[in-house]
């Protein structure tokens, strides 16, 4: 099980289930409730957040292993992985986060890693349930009746408020179990 200093919960599902759509609806609700949420997203393809013609792109192309770009609005950090590198581990991505400015981290993807997750499942897509093989799944958000044993907490995939409340309860429970430090 991944150890992390903040509540960490994943959204796992097969492609096309609606993980990103749900995240874009969940984050504003969590923010309204006072939670500062970070997101780690796994990409199965090459991606670039930098573009030709920009100074940071040119610096990276010149061979810089890491580039940080900072403005009054945001800071972006780009770290090159060697071309022959395997897929990064979730812990690699988590290490890049500033945990001092967050209350919760939601992970999209990394479904084969060992950490607490909510599975999103649409039976109409014809994909098997992940929770039957992963005992780290504590809830199943689905848009149809599903029978699964053992039964995780069932959530309505189309009820974003219900899923947000479940996550908030998880954060509160996780925080109540966190060790306290004497000052």
């Amino acid at each position: 099980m991944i150890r992390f200093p903040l509540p960490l919960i994943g959204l796992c599902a097969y492609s096309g289930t609606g993980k990103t759509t749900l995240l874009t609806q969940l984050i504003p609700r969590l923010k309204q409730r006072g939670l500062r949420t970070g997101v780690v997203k796994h990409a199965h393809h090459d991606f670039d957040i930098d573009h030709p013609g920009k100074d940071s792109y040119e610096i990276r192309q010149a061979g810089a292993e890491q580039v940080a770009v900072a403005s009054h609005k945001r800071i972006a950090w780009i770290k090159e992985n060697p071309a022959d590198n395997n897929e990064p581990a979730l812990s690699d991505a988590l290490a890049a986060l500033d945990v001092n400015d967050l209350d919760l981290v939601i992970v999209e993807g990394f479904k084969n890693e060992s950490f607490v997750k909510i599975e999103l499942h649409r039976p109409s897509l014809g994909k098997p349930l992940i929770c039957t093989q992963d005992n780290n799944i504590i809830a199943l958000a689905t848009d149809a009746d599903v029978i699964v044993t053992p039964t995780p907490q069932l959530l309505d995939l189309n009820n974003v408020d219900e899923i947000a409340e479940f996550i908030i309860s998880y954060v509160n429970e996780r925080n109540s179990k966190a060790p306290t430090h004497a000052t």
Side-chain angles (χ1 to χ4, degrees):
M1 183 70 79
I2 290 177
R3 296 184 60 79
F4 194 64
L6 297 175
L8 176 70
I9 193 162
L11 298 180
C12 69
Y14 291 96
S15 181
T17 305
K19 295 180 300 289
T20 302
T21 300
L22 177 61
L23 263 175
T24 61
Q25 296 170 349
L26 269 175
I27 293 168
R29 285 167 171 84
L30 297 172
K31 188 171 185 160
Q32 286 174 341
R33 296 288 299 273
L35 288 177
R36 301 169 299 167
T37 304
V39 174
V40 171
K41 180 179 179 6
H42 183 262
H44 291 283
H45 50 81
D46 188 22
F47 70 93
D48 209 332
I49 63 169
D50 214 356
H51 304 285
K54 296 295 181 185
D55 292 347
S56 51
Y57 180 88
E58 301 302 327
I59 292 166
R60 200 166 41 89
Q61 292 302 306
E65 308 269 332
Q66 296 185 43
V67 176
V69 182
S71 75
H72 71 283
K73 290 274 193 181
R74 66 190 53 91
I75 298 173
W77 175 61
I78 304 167
K79 178 183 181 230
E80 292 296 312
N81 283 328
D84 62 347
N85 203 22
N86 292 329
E87 286 290 318
L90 175 56
S91 58
D92 297 329
L94 291 172
L97 297 176
D98 180 357
V99 298
N100 296 312
D101 291 333
L102 297 173
D103 301 307
L104 161 71
V105 175
I106 299 176
V107 178
E108 181 183 332
F110 293 97
K111 69 181 170 199
N112 294 322
E113 298 243 15
S114 181
F115 66 104
V116 171
K117 303 170 199 127
I118 298 171
E119 178 180 355
L120 311 184
H121 183 72
R122 295 185 190 279
S124 62
L125 295 177
K127 300 290 187 183
L129 286 165
I130 300 168
C131 63
T132 60
Q133 305 298 316
D134 185 346
N135 61 1
N136 295 301
I137 294 174
I138 62 170
L140 175 63
T142 183
D143 62 353
D145 290 334
V146 174
I147 298 172
V148 60
T149 305
T151 305
Q153 172 76 43
L154 292 176
L155 303 170
D156 181 349
L157 183 54
N158 297 317
N159 187 337
V160 179
D161 290 323
E162 179 183 41
I163 298 169
E165 286 303 318
F166 180 84
I167 291 172
I168 290 164
S169 293
Y170 170 76
V171 169
N172 290 338
E173 179 182 329
R174 166 76 162 60
N175 286 339
S176 71
K177 292 180 180 177
T180 57
H181 302 284
T183 54

